[in-house]
Amino acid sequence: MNLIPVEGQKDLYRDTRTNAIINTNKTDYESYIMRRESLQNQKKKIESIEDEITNVKNDLDEIKMLLRRLSEKWIQMKLS
C-alpha cells in the first residue's frame, strides 16, 4: 500500500491504489469503535424494551378479553 499525506491533515493519507482516504490515528479509530458499539448496544436495548412492551400489551388485551367473557357469563347467570 502506497500512502501520500493529505495536505493540511496530519493523520490522513491517500492510498494511491484505491484513492481511499485512510486515518492513521489509532486513538480516533478506537474512539469510533467504542461509539459504534455503544450505539449498537443502545439499539439492542431499545429493541428489547419495545418487544417487552408489545408482549405486555398483548397480555393486557388477553386479560381484557377474559374479563369481558367472565362478566358476560356472570350477567347471564344473574339474568337466568
Side-chain angles (χ1 to χ4, degrees), residues 30-45:
E30 289 171 351
S31 293
Y32 161 75
I33 295 298
M34 288 176 59
R35 282 192 315 272
R36 186 183 70 184
E37 287 175 358
S38 176
L39 287 172
Q40 287 174 342
N41 289 338
Q42 287 176 354
K43 184 178 177 184
K44 286 179 185 178
K45 187 174 183 179

Side-chain angles (χ1 to χ4, degrees), residues 1-25:
M1 179 171 6
N2 197 9
L3 300 177
I4 307 169
V6 173
E7 189 176 320
Q9 303 293 324
K10 70 175 189 155
D11 295 323
L12 299 181
Y13 294 85
R14 182 173 301 279
D15 182 340
T16 57
R17 187 176 59 82
T18 63
N19 213 26
I21 299 290
I22 299 170
N23 186 346
T24 59
N25 186 322

